[in-house]
Structures are given as structure tokens and as C-alpha cells.
Amino acid sequence: MAVKPVIDLILMNAGQLITVAGSSESPRRGKDMARIGLIEDGAVAVKDGVIVAVGITGEVLEQVDIGPGARVLDAANKVVLPGLVDPHTHLVFYGSREDEFELKVQGASYLEILKSGGGILRTVRATRRASKEDIFRSACKWLDQMISQGTTTAEVKSGYGLTLEDELKLLEIVRELDGHHSLDLVPTFMGAHAIPEEYRNNPEDYVTLVMEKMIPAVAREGLAEFCDVFCEEGVFSVDQSRRILCAAKEKGMKLKLHADEIVSLGGGELAAELGAVSADHLMAVSDEGVSQMSQKGTVAVLLPATTFCLMAKQYAPARKMIREGVPVALASDFNPGSSPVNSLQVVMGIACRQLKMTPAEVISAVTINAAHAIGRAADVGSIEKGKKADMAVFDAPTYQYLPYRFGTNLVETVIKNGRVVIGG
Ligand code: IZC
Ligand code: ZN
């Protein structure tokens, strides 16, 4: 008889264990987005931070030996999900912009504020002035808030430095945060987040700086896995975005794009053309963009909390994307301007109501598809043997209850790499 693994943690009797298993190779699309692998009376056994058995509690108990001192967690009447994955955040910034929020409530637009030197550029000024320690401390606070709400892996973009030194400083902070905090981070270089004030009259020179100085330095230091560009009217054109992303691709970075957020420029098409891993936002994506993304398997990372915070009318066409086979993921877009929201539970609630995604589709979108959007699907995003033991336990009778009960943190326990980091 095979030797049973001696486990150090078991979570058992779960009312609903949602595994989202079976899609580590490629993201879920179409009707498969609603297949979430529900097990009633479920259990997960963990050894050295890795999942070793998943199934009905009685069956899992037969397959393992519970080691002395092992943690035994009872999840009766609870819903257990894979640790949530947030594939789009801008969390290394300093300061806040609640005064601009007040102006927006009174009718000012996001792009008008940016054009007049506010918005991203204001946060750039505050972030350049701040010390590394201050930015680190502020980001730690955001990460604490995120993990307490069930997020165990997140992508983080630079983009509030906009000089070689400041962009490197922000990516170094991301690296330090990843080592220091239990939440796992995936770094993205986004020097092309805005044209900095000092290049206002010669934006092409800034594009050259990004391509010829910043990207090679970031690649040399191994500070970012992805490169992203804010392709938007008045920010970076489609042509500039293409050139920057091609330079990054040449240096071995994977690609993302802020695409068709406010104005329909063809960002979805560009992301598909370049083989980007994801195109994000897509509120104004064209039919052609959706069709090309479907053909290429580009993940659509939708950010409905941003649409909500911008008080915009037009949400991304999620139903059309799912119908046409585009893999859909969801993210917070956490940033001090267009989305001061770092709770994926809030995003899930908005996604059901405004994108008309079902609770099951939303769960695929914040777990396995989100993991695919940041190249981590082999390790996280589902509860299955061999994957990292990242799980969130919610005080909820059913999985549908999660997006239904909008605005309250329902997380009771979070397990990261097999360790209880929240509750328990
Ligand atoms: O600070 O406004 N959209 N980048 C692109 C942002 C929003 C962040 C910000
Ligand atoms: Zn963004």
C-alpha cells in the first residue's frame, strides 16, 4: 500500500468547496467559465505549503495522515475558494486624490483632470517626493487590506515615477514587498503610464526614453515580468504603444495593454496582434477587437469597479466576450484615481450587476482566469493537487451569496502557502 502523506494542515467539512480545477493549461472560455468544480462537504489537505489531496471530507481523511501539531480547520457551513488573484493593480503610489473625486462628482472628467496636470501626474509628483520607506509602508497597508479580503496573489504596475530612477525605485519596492508580505506579487513595468510634465512638449522623446533606456534597464535588473502601456486618447497612441511593447517583447517581457478604456482606439486589436497575454479595461472595445482577442486567446481583464468609480455609463461587453469565446478575468485596478477599490469582493458584486456575469463566471474570473492573465496558472488560481495551498474561507452558505452580499467583507480565514495568515 502506498505511504500516506503526513500533512500539516487540513481544511474540512466545507459547505461548498469551489475548486475551479482543470484549467491550468489554458483559461476558461464560454460556457466553461461557469464550471467551478463544486464539492459539498469538501476537504483540502496540505503538506509543506502544497495541496496533496482534495475531495469529499471522508475520502480525503482516508488518503492522508494528520501529523502531530497539524492545523485542523473546520469549514462547516462556509464557502471555500482558491485564494483570489488580482491581475491588475497600481498599488505602489503615494498620497490620495479625494479632492479630484469631489470634482468628478460635480462633472469633471478623468481625461480633463489629467490634461490639466492633475490625475496620474499629481500622484507622480507625490510619489517622486516620497521616500522608499514611505511608499513601502503605504503599499504594505494596501496589501494587508487586500489579503484580509481574500486576495493572495496580485499583479503590481510601476508608473508613478516616469524617470528611469523613479521607475526602477518603484519596481525595487515591488520586489521588496513580494519578499516581505505573504501576498505574492507579479511585477509589471509601466513607464508608459502618462507623458510626464517635463516632456509635455516633446512626447516622442519620452517614448524614446522608455524604449531605449527604461526597458533595457528594467530587463537587465530582472525587475519586471510584464510591460504595460496606457493606450488612450491624449496619452499613448496605438503607434507609440506598439513600438514600446515591441521593444519590451524583444527584451523578453510579456505584454499587457490598457486598451479601449475611454475612447475606442483599437487597443483590443493591438493586444491580439502583438500576442499580449491580456488586454485590460475594454469598455469601448470594437467588435473587431473582441473577435481578434477570441482568435488569439488574449485574456480580457475587466475592471468594472473603475467604470463604476468613473461614473461612466458604458461597461465592458462581458456577455459578448463570453459568447465569442474570449477568456474573461476580473481585477480591481486599485489606484488613487479611477479605482480606489482594492476588494475583489466589491468587484465581484459589481461584475454580476453591471457586466451581467453569473456568480459562477465571476468566480472563474477572479481565480483561474486571473491567474492566466499574470502567467501564474500553474501555481495558483484553483484548488488542486500540486498547487500552492492558497485558499479563502467565506462566511457564506453558498457561492452565489458572495456577490449577492455586496460591500461586506465575508472573509473569515485566509491560507497562503499552507499557512493561516488571516483568522483561523
Ligand atoms: O492614477 O489614475 N487609468 N491609470 C490608467 C490610472 C487610471 C491610474 C490613475
Ligand atoms: Zn490600470
Side-chain angles (χ1 to χ4, degrees), residues 90-100 110 113-114 117-130 135 138 142 159-162 166-167 169-170 193-194 197 334-338:
H90 300 256
L91 71 82
V92 280
F93 61 84
Y94 200 70
S96 58
R97 308 211 304 254
E98 63 274 33
D99 48 351
E100 291 179 359
Y110 178 84
I113 293 171
L114 178 59
I120 297 173
L121 296 175
R122 238 186 85 222
T123 303
V124 168
R125 288 193 290 276
T127 307
R128 283 179 182 173
R129 270 198 305 269
I135 300 168
S138 147
W142 311 133
Y160 294 110
L162 310 187
D166 288 301
E167 285 295 304
K169 173 175 100 175
L170 294 177
H193 189 199
E197 270 157 335
F334 180 54
N335 75 72
S338 59

mmCIF file of all heavy atoms in Angstrom, residues 90-100 110 113-114 117-130 135 138 142 159-162 166-167 169-170 193-194 197 334-338:
data_model
loop_
_atom_site.group_PDB
_atom_site.id
_atom_site.type_symbol
_atom_site.label_atom_id
_atom_site.label_comp_id
_atom_site.label_asym_id
_atom_site.label_seq_id
_atom_site.Cartn_x
_atom_site.Cartn_y
_atom_site.Cartn_z
ATOM 1 N N HIS A 90 -2.282 49.118 -9.370
ATOM 2 C CA HIS A 90 -1.239 50.163 -9.441
ATOM 3 C C HIS A 90 -0.876 50.540 -8.000
ATOM 4 O O HIS A 90 -0.949 51.700 -7.631
ATOM 5 C CB HIS A 90 -1.790 51.409 -10.133
ATOM 6 C CG HIS A 90 -2.279 51.233 -11.538
ATOM 7 N ND1 HIS A 90 -1.562 51.667 -12.632
ATOM 8 C CD2 HIS A 90 -3.428 50.712 -12.049
ATOM 9 C CE1 HIS A 90 -2.248 51.432 -13.752
ATOM 10 N NE2 HIS A 90 -3.381 50.846 -13.430
ATOM 11 N N LEU A 91 -0.529 49.559 -7.162
ATOM 12 C CA LEU A 91 -0.531 49.886 -5.738
ATOM 13 C C LEU A 91 0.727 50.524 -5.183
ATOM 14 O O LEU A 91 0.752 50.895 -4.011
ATOM 15 C CB LEU A 91 -0.981 48.683 -4.900
ATOM 16 C CG LEU A 91 -0.132 47.448 -4.709
ATOM 17 C CD1 LEU A 91 0.910 47.643 -3.618
ATOM 18 C CD2 LEU A 91 -1.044 46.308 -4.313
ATOM 19 N N VAL A 92 1.774 50.715 -6.009
ATOM 20 C CA VAL A 92 2.920 51.453 -5.458
ATOM 21 C C VAL A 92 2.827 52.933 -5.838
ATOM 22 O O VAL A 92 3.425 53.410 -6.788
ATOM 23 C CB VAL A 92 4.301 50.866 -5.848
ATOM 24 C CG1 VAL A 92 4.649 49.665 -4.982
ATOM 25 C CG2 VAL A 92 4.365 50.489 -7.314
ATOM 26 N N PHE A 93 2.031 53.643 -5.060
ATOM 27 C CA PHE A 93 1.868 55.091 -5.260
ATOM 28 C C PHE A 93 1.901 55.756 -3.893
ATOM 29 O O PHE A 93 1.838 55.080 -2.857
ATOM 30 C CB PHE A 93 0.540 55.396 -5.960
ATOM 31 C CG PHE A 93 -0.688 54.958 -5.197
ATOM 32 C CD1 PHE A 93 -1.237 55.762 -4.194
ATOM 33 C CD2 PHE A 93 -1.296 53.741 -5.473
ATOM 34 C CE1 PHE A 93 -2.368 55.355 -3.487
ATOM 35 C CE2 PHE A 93 -2.432 53.329 -4.766
ATOM 36 C CZ PHE A 93 -2.961 54.138 -3.771
ATOM 37 N N TYR A 94 1.978 57.078 -3.887
ATOM 38 C CA TYR A 94 1.941 57.790 -2.611
ATOM 39 C C TYR A 94 0.863 58.864 -2.652
ATOM 40 O O TYR A 94 0.705 59.547 -3.655
ATOM 41 C CB TYR A 94 3.313 58.421 -2.291
ATOM 42 C CG TYR A 94 3.431 58.704 -0.823
ATOM 43 C CD1 TYR A 94 3.541 57.667 0.089
ATOM 44 C CD2 TYR A 94 3.370 60.017 -0.346
ATOM 45 C CE1 TYR A 94 3.607 57.908 1.447
ATOM 46 C CE2 TYR A 94 3.442 60.275 1.013
ATOM 47 C CZ TYR A 94 3.552 59.209 1.899
ATOM 48 O OH TYR A 94 3.605 59.452 3.238
ATOM 49 N N GLY A 95 0.120 58.988 -1.589
ATOM 50 C CA GLY A 95 -0.896 60.038 -1.477
ATOM 51 C C GLY A 95 -2.261 59.562 -1.942
ATOM 52 O O GLY A 95 -2.483 58.370 -2.152
ATOM 53 N N SER A 96 -3.169 60.520 -2.094
ATOM 54 C CA SER A 96 -4.544 60.179 -2.492
ATOM 55 C C SER A 96 -5.134 61.352 -3.279
ATOM 56 O O SER A 96 -4.522 62.421 -3.367
ATOM 57 C CB SER A 96 -5.389 59.873 -1.251
ATOM 58 O OG SER A 96 -5.385 61.003 -0.389
ATOM 59 N N ARG A 97 -6.311 61.165 -3.862
ATOM 60 C CA ARG A 97 -6.870 62.201 -4.750
ATOM 61 C C ARG A 97 -8.363 62.407 -4.487
ATOM 62 O O ARG A 97 -9.160 62.521 -5.409
ATOM 63 C CB ARG A 97 -6.622 61.813 -6.228
ATOM 64 C CG ARG A 97 -5.165 61.473 -6.534
ATOM 65 C CD ARG A 97 -4.690 61.795 -7.917
ATOM 66 N NE ARG A 97 -5.437 61.219 -9.002
ATOM 67 C CZ ARG A 97 -5.040 60.191 -9.765
ATOM 68 N NH1 ARG A 97 -3.868 59.599 -9.526
ATOM 69 N NH2 ARG A 97 -5.772 59.765 -10.767
ATOM 70 N N GLU A 98 -8.724 62.475 -3.213
ATOM 71 C CA GLU A 98 -10.143 62.603 -2.912
ATOM 72 C C GLU A 98 -10.711 63.961 -3.335
ATOM 73 O O GLU A 98 -11.914 64.096 -3.542
ATOM 74 C CB GLU A 98 -10.419 62.313 -1.434
ATOM 75 C CG GLU A 98 -9.780 63.252 -0.435
ATOM 76 C CD GLU A 98 -8.354 62.833 -0.066
ATOM 77 O OE1 GLU A 98 -7.635 62.281 -0.920
ATOM 78 O OE2 GLU A 98 -7.960 63.093 1.084
ATOM 79 N N ASP A 99 -9.823 64.989 -3.464
ATOM 80 C CA ASP A 99 -10.320 66.291 -3.943
ATOM 81 C C ASP A 99 -10.745 66.198 -5.416
ATOM 82 O O ASP A 99 -11.742 66.789 -5.832
ATOM 83 C CB ASP A 99 -9.272 67.382 -3.717
ATOM 84 C CG ASP A 99 -7.881 66.964 -4.202
ATOM 85 O OD1 ASP A 99 -7.695 65.776 -4.558
ATOM 86 O OD2 ASP A 99 -6.998 67.823 -4.230
ATOM 87 N N GLU A 100 -9.988 65.416 -6.214
ATOM 88 C CA GLU A 100 -10.387 65.223 -7.619
ATOM 89 C C GLU A 100 -11.668 64.388 -7.703
ATOM 90 O O GLU A 100 -12.495 64.595 -8.595
ATOM 91 C CB GLU A 100 -9.265 64.527 -8.400
ATOM 92 C CG GLU A 100 -8.058 65.416 -8.594
ATOM 93 C CD GLU A 100 -6.928 64.729 -9.357
ATOM 94 O OE1 GLU A 100 -7.076 63.549 -9.724
ATOM 95 O OE2 GLU A 100 -5.903 65.399 -9.573
ATOM 96 N N TYR A 110 -12.199 62.429 -16.156
ATOM 97 C CA TYR A 110 -10.885 61.868 -15.817
ATOM 98 C C TYR A 110 -9.798 62.426 -16.748
ATOM 99 O O TYR A 110 -8.743 62.867 -16.292
ATOM 100 C CB TYR A 110 -10.964 60.337 -15.913
ATOM 101 C CG TYR A 110 -9.658 59.653 -15.622
ATOM 102 C CD1 TYR A 110 -9.270 59.373 -14.322
ATOM 103 C CD2 TYR A 110 -8.780 59.313 -16.655
ATOM 104 C CE1 TYR A 110 -8.058 58.772 -14.040
ATOM 105 C CE2 TYR A 110 -7.563 58.708 -16.391
ATOM 106 C CZ TYR A 110 -7.214 58.437 -15.085
ATOM 107 O OH TYR A 110 -6.003 57.846 -14.828
ATOM 108 N N ILE A 113 -8.976 66.188 -16.183
ATOM 109 C CA ILE A 113 -8.145 66.387 -14.982
ATOM 110 C C ILE A 113 -6.693 66.050 -15.294
ATOM 111 O O ILE A 113 -5.769 66.782 -14.926
ATOM 112 C CB ILE A 113 -8.689 65.527 -13.805
ATOM 113 C CG1 ILE A 113 -10.055 66.051 -13.361
ATOM 114 C CG2 ILE A 113 -7.713 65.513 -12.636
ATOM 115 C CD1 ILE A 113 -10.788 65.149 -12.353
ATOM 116 N N LEU A 114 -6.473 64.967 -16.051
ATOM 117 C CA LEU A 114 -5.107 64.553 -16.420
ATOM 118 C C LEU A 114 -4.462 65.625 -17.309
ATOM 119 O O LEU A 114 -3.310 66.006 -17.112
ATOM 120 C CB LEU A 114 -5.153 63.193 -17.143
ATOM 121 C CG LEU A 114 -3.816 62.630 -17.650
ATOM 122 C CD1 LEU A 114 -2.823 62.454 -16.506
ATOM 123 C CD2 LEU A 114 -4.015 61.283 -18.359
ATOM 124 N N GLY A 117 -2.829 68.603 -15.742
ATOM 125 C CA GLY A 117 -1.680 68.361 -14.844
ATOM 126 C C GLY A 117 -2.059 67.639 -13.562
ATOM 127 O O GLY A 117 -1.225 67.420 -12.691
ATOM 128 N N GLY A 118 -3.324 67.266 -13.437
ATOM 129 C CA GLY A 118 -3.760 66.522 -12.245
ATOM 130 C C GLY A 118 -3.735 65.033 -12.530
ATOM 131 O O GLY A 118 -2.965 64.560 -13.362
ATOM 132 N N GLY A 119 -4.579 64.301 -11.841
ATOM 133 C CA GLY A 119 -4.695 62.860 -12.087
ATOM 134 C C GLY A 119 -3.379 62.140 -11.847
ATOM 135 O O GLY A 119 -2.699 62.368 -10.844
ATOM 136 N N ILE A 120 -3.014 61.281 -12.791
ATOM 137 C CA ILE A 120 -1.779 60.484 -12.654
ATOM 138 C C ILE A 120 -0.593 61.397 -12.340
ATOM 139 O O ILE A 120 0.250 61.074 -11.500
ATOM 140 C CB ILE A 120 -1.499 59.695 -13.966
ATOM 141 C CG1 ILE A 120 -2.611 58.683 -14.242
ATOM 142 C CG2 ILE A 120 -0.144 58.987 -13.889
ATOM 143 C CD1 ILE A 120 -2.496 57.975 -15.592
ATOM 144 N N LEU A 121 -0.543 62.572 -13.012
ATOM 145 C CA LEU A 121 0.627 63.443 -12.850
ATOM 146 C C LEU A 121 0.745 63.974 -11.426
ATOM 147 O O LEU A 121 1.840 64.205 -10.927
ATOM 148 C CB LEU A 121 0.567 64.589 -13.870
ATOM 149 C CG LEU A 121 0.643 64.106 -15.326
ATOM 150 C CD1 LEU A 121 0.461 65.277 -16.296
ATOM 151 C CD2 LEU A 121 1.976 63.396 -15.604
ATOM 152 N N ARG A 122 -0.376 64.159 -10.765
ATOM 153 C CA ARG A 122 -0.338 64.577 -9.366
ATOM 154 C C ARG A 122 0.248 63.485 -8.485
ATOM 155 O O ARG A 122 1.066 63.729 -7.606
ATOM 156 C CB ARG A 122 -1.761 64.865 -8.900
ATOM 157 C CG ARG A 122 -1.779 66.232 -8.454
ATOM 158 C CD ARG A 122 -2.936 66.808 -7.833
ATOM 159 N NE ARG A 122 -3.066 66.594 -6.441
ATOM 160 C CZ ARG A 122 -4.238 66.284 -5.900
ATOM 161 N NH1 ARG A 122 -5.272 66.071 -6.673
ATOM 162 N NH2 ARG A 122 -4.333 66.185 -4.619
ATOM 163 N N THR A 123 -0.194 62.263 -8.759
ATOM 164 C CA THR A 123 0.339 61.144 -7.975
ATOM 165 C C THR A 123 1.820 60.942 -8.292
ATOM 166 O O THR A 123 2.599 60.564 -7.418
ATOM 167 C CB THR A 123 -0.488 59.873 -8.245
ATOM 168 O OG1 THR A 123 -1.850 60.162 -7.936
ATOM 169 C CG2 THR A 123 -0.014 58.698 -7.395
ATOM 170 N N VAL A 124 2.226 61.231 -9.533
ATOM 171 C CA VAL A 124 3.655 61.138 -9.887
ATOM 172 C C VAL A 124 4.451 62.126 -9.031
ATOM 173 O O VAL A 124 5.485 61.772 -8.449
ATOM 174 C CB VAL A 124 3.871 61.400 -11.397
ATOM 175 C CG1 VAL A 124 5.352 61.606 -11.716
ATOM 176 C CG2 VAL A 124 3.298 60.246 -12.224
ATOM 177 N N ARG A 125 3.966 63.363 -8.902
ATOM 178 C CA ARG A 125 4.701 64.359 -8.092
ATOM 179 C C ARG A 125 4.826 63.874 -6.645
ATOM 180 O O ARG A 125 5.897 63.921 -6.044
ATOM 181 C CB ARG A 125 3.990 65.724 -8.138
ATOM 182 C CG ARG A 125 4.130 66.439 -9.477
ATOM 183 C CD ARG A 125 3.689 67.900 -9.401
ATOM 184 N NE ARG A 125 2.247 68.061 -9.224
ATOM 185 C CZ ARG A 125 1.353 68.047 -10.219
ATOM 186 N NH1 ARG A 125 1.743 67.867 -11.465
ATOM 187 N NH2 ARG A 125 0.065 68.209 -9.968
ATOM 188 N N ALA A 126 3.725 63.379 -6.092
ATOM 189 C CA ALA A 126 3.750 62.925 -4.691
ATOM 190 C C ALA A 126 4.664 61.710 -4.520
ATOM 191 O O ALA A 126 5.387 61.593 -3.522
ATOM 192 C CB ALA A 126 2.327 62.581 -4.239
ATOM 193 N N THR A 127 4.648 60.817 -5.515
ATOM 194 C CA THR A 127 5.427 59.577 -5.403
ATOM 195 C C THR A 127 6.923 59.869 -5.565
ATOM 196 O O THR A 127 7.756 59.285 -4.874
ATOM 197 C CB THR A 127 4.932 58.556 -6.448
ATOM 198 O OG1 THR A 127 3.514 58.402 -6.298
ATOM 199 C CG2 THR A 127 5.591 57.198 -6.282
ATOM 200 N N ARG A 128 7.264 60.798 -6.483
ATOM 201 C CA ARG A 128 8.687 61.152 -6.647
ATOM 202 C C ARG A 128 9.239 61.764 -5.366
ATOM 203 O O ARG A 128 10.384 61.529 -5.000
ATOM 204 C CB ARG A 128 8.843 62.154 -7.798
ATOM 205 C CG ARG A 128 8.761 61.527 -9.177
ATOM 206 C CD ARG A 128 8.898 62.623 -10.230
ATOM 207 N NE ARG A 128 8.793 62.109 -11.592
ATOM 208 C CZ ARG A 128 8.743 62.891 -12.673
ATOM 209 N NH1 ARG A 128 8.793 64.213 -12.551
ATOM 210 N NH2 ARG A 128 8.648 62.348 -13.875
ATOM 211 N N ARG A 129 8.417 62.564 -4.695
ATOM 212 C CA ARG A 129 8.877 63.242 -3.468
ATOM 213 C C ARG A 129 9.013 62.282 -2.281
ATOM 214 O O ARG A 129 9.812 62.509 -1.381
ATOM 215 C CB ARG A 129 7.858 64.329 -3.072
ATOM 216 C CG ARG A 129 8.142 65.699 -3.677
ATOM 217 C CD ARG A 129 7.393 66.789 -2.915
ATOM 218 N NE ARG A 129 5.964 66.549 -2.828
ATOM 219 C CZ ARG A 129 5.065 66.996 -3.703
ATOM 220 N NH1 ARG A 129 5.465 67.718 -4.738
ATOM 221 N NH2 ARG A 129 3.786 66.743 -3.551
ATOM 222 N N ALA A 130 8.215 61.213 -2.298
ATOM 223 C CA ALA A 130 8.173 60.324 -1.125
ATOM 224 C C ALA A 130 9.432 59.457 -1.046
ATOM 225 O O ALA A 130 10.040 59.122 -2.065
ATOM 226 C CB ALA A 130 6.938 59.432 -1.205
ATOM 227 N N ILE A 135 6.737 54.881 0.733
ATOM 228 C CA ILE A 135 5.939 54.190 -0.302
ATOM 229 C C ILE A 135 5.752 52.727 0.106
ATOM 230 O O ILE A 135 4.660 52.161 -0.023
ATOM 231 C CB ILE A 135 6.617 54.286 -1.686
ATOM 232 C CG1 ILE A 135 6.769 55.757 -2.094
ATOM 233 C CG2 ILE A 135 5.822 53.533 -2.746
ATOM 234 C CD1 ILE A 135 7.668 55.972 -3.304
ATOM 235 N N SER A 138 3.142 52.479 2.845
ATOM 236 C CA SER A 138 1.801 52.718 2.315
ATOM 237 C C SER A 138 1.321 51.487 1.527
ATOM 238 O O SER A 138 0.187 51.014 1.698
ATOM 239 C CB SER A 138 1.852 53.999 1.467
ATOM 240 O OG SER A 138 0.991 53.957 0.391
ATOM 241 N N TRP A 142 -1.949 48.656 1.935
ATOM 242 C CA TRP A 142 -2.897 48.182 0.904
ATOM 243 C C TRP A 142 -2.888 46.654 0.825
ATOM 244 O O TRP A 142 -3.931 46.027 0.676
ATOM 245 C CB TRP A 142 -2.558 48.763 -0.482
ATOM 246 C CG TRP A 142 -2.332 50.241 -0.548
ATOM 247 C CD1 TRP A 142 -1.304 50.896 -1.178
ATOM 248 C CD2 TRP A 142 -3.162 51.268 0.016
ATOM 249 N NE1 TRP A 142 -1.437 52.255 -1.022
ATOM 250 C CE2 TRP A 142 -2.560 52.516 -0.296
ATOM 251 C CE3 TRP A 142 -4.344 51.275 0.765
ATOM 252 C CZ2 TRP A 142 -3.105 53.736 0.102
ATOM 253 C CZ3 TRP A 142 -4.887 52.484 1.175
ATOM 254 C CH2 TRP A 142 -4.275 53.692 0.841
ATOM 255 N N GLY A 159 4.784 53.041 -12.642
ATOM 256 C CA GLY A 159 4.107 54.019 -13.491
ATOM 257 C C GLY A 159 3.826 55.354 -12.831
ATOM 258 O O GLY A 159 3.231 56.242 -13.443
ATOM 259 N N TYR A 160 4.275 55.513 -11.564
ATOM 260 C CA TYR A 160 4.141 56.825 -10.924
ATOM 261 C C TYR A 160 5.519 57.446 -10.679
ATOM 262 O O TYR A 160 5.662 58.332 -9.857
ATOM 263 C CB TYR A 160 3.361 56.720 -9.609
ATOM 264 C CG TYR A 160 1.914 56.330 -9.795
ATOM 265 C CD1 TYR A 160 1.450 55.082 -9.396
ATOM 266 C CD2 TYR A 160 1.002 57.207 -10.386
ATOM 267 C CE1 TYR A 160 0.122 54.715 -9.573
ATOM 268 C CE2 TYR A 160 -0.329 56.856 -10.571
ATOM 269 C CZ TYR A 160 -0.758 55.609 -10.161
ATOM 270 O OH TYR A 160 -2.071 55.257 -10.342
ATOM 271 N N GLY A 161 6.517 56.932 -11.423
ATOM 272 C CA GLY A 161 7.857 57.502 -11.324
ATOM 273 C C GLY A 161 8.144 58.322 -12.572
ATOM 274 O O GLY A 161 8.429 59.508 -12.521
ATOM 275 N N LEU A 162 8.071 57.656 -13.720
ATOM 276 C CA LEU A 162 8.236 58.274 -15.040
ATOM 277 C C LEU A 162 9.601 58.926 -15.265
ATOM 278 O O LEU A 162 9.735 59.777 -16.142
ATOM 279 C CB LEU A 162 7.092 59.264 -15.341
ATOM 280 C CG LEU A 162 5.654 58.765 -15.129
ATOM 281 C CD1 LEU A 162 4.641 59.804 -15.633
ATOM 282 C CD2 LEU A 162 5.384 57.433 -15.793
ATOM 283 N N ASP A 166 13.194 56.755 -10.902
ATOM 284 C CA ASP A 166 11.959 56.579 -10.114
ATOM 285 C C ASP A 166 11.212 55.305 -10.491
ATOM 286 O O ASP A 166 10.625 54.650 -9.634
ATOM 287 C CB ASP A 166 11.049 57.799 -10.264
ATOM 288 C CG ASP A 166 11.607 59.002 -9.524
ATOM 289 O OD1 ASP A 166 11.795 58.907 -8.300
ATOM 290 O OD2 ASP A 166 11.875 60.029 -10.172
ATOM 291 N N GLU A 167 11.238 54.932 -11.773
ATOM 292 C CA GLU A 167 10.579 53.684 -12.176
ATOM 293 C C GLU A 167 11.319 52.478 -11.576
ATOM 294 O O GLU A 167 10.694 51.538 -11.089
ATOM 295 C CB GLU A 167 10.502 53.569 -13.698
ATOM 296 C CG GLU A 167 9.445 54.475 -14.333
ATOM 297 C CD GLU A 167 8.033 54.096 -13.910
ATOM 298 O OE1 GLU A 167 7.629 52.941 -14.093
ATOM 299 O OE2 GLU A 167 7.313 54.972 -13.385
ATOM 300 N N LYS A 169 13.067 52.553 -8.870
ATOM 301 C CA LYS A 169 12.793 52.592 -7.426
ATOM 302 C C LYS A 169 11.460 51.890 -7.126
ATOM 303 O O LYS A 169 11.362 51.067 -6.208
ATOM 304 C CB LYS A 169 12.752 54.057 -6.963
ATOM 305 C CG LYS A 169 12.313 54.262 -5.519
ATOM 306 C CD LYS A 169 12.420 55.729 -5.078
ATOM 307 C CE LYS A 169 11.084 56.429 -5.117
ATOM 308 N NZ LYS A 169 11.099 57.802 -4.602
ATOM 309 N N LEU A 170 10.439 52.175 -7.929
ATOM 310 C CA LEU A 170 9.120 51.565 -7.667
ATOM 311 C C LEU A 170 9.154 50.048 -7.868
ATOM 312 O O LEU A 170 8.567 49.292 -7.086
ATOM 313 C CB LEU A 170 8.049 52.203 -8.550
ATOM 314 C CG LEU A 170 7.776 53.682 -8.233
ATOM 315 C CD1 LEU A 170 6.744 54.260 -9.196
ATOM 316 C CD2 LEU A 170 7.297 53.860 -6.791
ATOM 317 N N HIS A 193 2.843 55.159 -18.597
ATOM 318 C CA HIS A 193 1.562 55.333 -17.894
ATOM 319 C C HIS A 193 0.993 56.715 -18.189
ATOM 320 O O HIS A 193 -0.211 56.938 -18.196
ATOM 321 C CB HIS A 193 1.813 55.145 -16.395
ATOM 322 C CG HIS A 193 0.591 55.077 -15.547
ATOM 323 N ND1 HIS A 193 0.611 55.293 -14.204
ATOM 324 C CD2 HIS A 193 -0.713 54.807 -15.855
ATOM 325 C CE1 HIS A 193 -0.607 55.166 -13.700
ATOM 326 N NE2 HIS A 193 -1.424 54.872 -14.692
ATOM 327 N N ALA A 194 1.897 57.695 -18.395
ATOM 328 C CA ALA A 194 1.492 59.053 -18.768
ATOM 329 C C ALA A 194 2.721 59.735 -19.351
ATOM 330 O O ALA A 194 3.845 59.284 -19.124
ATOM 331 C CB ALA A 194 1.012 59.823 -17.535
ATOM 332 N N GLU A 197 5.289 65.686 -17.059
ATOM 333 C CA GLU A 197 5.190 67.124 -17.336
ATOM 334 C C GLU A 197 6.400 67.657 -18.106
ATOM 335 O O GLU A 197 6.258 68.472 -19.024
ATOM 336 C CB GLU A 197 5.041 67.884 -16.011
ATOM 337 C CG GLU A 197 3.581 68.029 -15.642
ATOM 338 C CD GLU A 197 3.343 68.258 -14.160
ATOM 339 O OE1 GLU A 197 4.199 67.855 -13.334
ATOM 340 O OE2 GLU A 197 2.299 68.833 -13.851
ATOM 341 N N PHE A 334 -6.766 48.723 -8.602
ATOM 342 C CA PHE A 334 -6.536 49.603 -7.453
ATOM 343 C C PHE A 334 -5.532 50.718 -7.775
ATOM 344 O O PHE A 334 -4.392 50.452 -8.147
ATOM 345 C CB PHE A 334 -6.040 48.765 -6.266
ATOM 346 C CG PHE A 334 -5.787 49.591 -5.042
ATOM 347 C CD1 PHE A 334 -6.779 50.423 -4.536
ATOM 348 C CD2 PHE A 334 -4.559 49.559 -4.409
ATOM 349 C CE1 PHE A 334 -6.549 51.201 -3.404
ATOM 350 C CE2 PHE A 334 -4.313 50.326 -3.280
ATOM 351 C CZ PHE A 334 -5.310 51.157 -2.772
ATOM 352 N N ASN A 335 -5.974 51.966 -7.674
ATOM 353 C CA ASN A 335 -5.131 53.146 -7.920
ATOM 354 C C ASN A 335 -5.803 54.351 -7.268
ATOM 355 O O ASN A 335 -6.988 54.289 -6.942
ATOM 356 C CB ASN A 335 -4.932 53.343 -9.438
ATOM 357 C CG ASN A 335 -6.164 53.906 -10.137
ATOM 358 O OD1 ASN A 335 -6.501 55.080 -9.978
ATOM 359 N ND2 ASN A 335 -6.862 53.069 -10.896
ATOM 360 N N PRO A 336 -5.059 55.441 -7.071
ATOM 361 C CA PRO A 336 -5.659 56.557 -6.313
ATOM 362 C C PRO A 336 -6.627 57.417 -7.115
ATOM 363 O O PRO A 336 -7.244 58.342 -6.553
ATOM 364 C CB PRO A 336 -4.435 57.377 -5.894
ATOM 365 C CG PRO A 336 -3.412 57.073 -6.934
ATOM 366 C CD PRO A 336 -3.651 55.657 -7.370
ATOM 367 N N GLY A 337 -6.772 57.152 -8.423
ATOM 368 C CA GLY A 337 -7.644 57.990 -9.234
ATOM 369 C C GLY A 337 -8.934 57.298 -9.617
ATOM 370 O O GLY A 337 -9.987 57.496 -9.012
ATOM 371 N N SER A 338 -8.829 56.412 -10.612
ATOM 372 C CA SER A 338 -10.050 55.863 -11.195
ATOM 373 C C SER A 338 -10.607 54.657 -10.443
ATOM 374 O O SER A 338 -11.717 54.222 -10.743
ATOM 375 C CB SER A 338 -9.777 55.459 -12.652
ATOM 376 O OG SER A 338 -8.754 54.501 -12.706
#
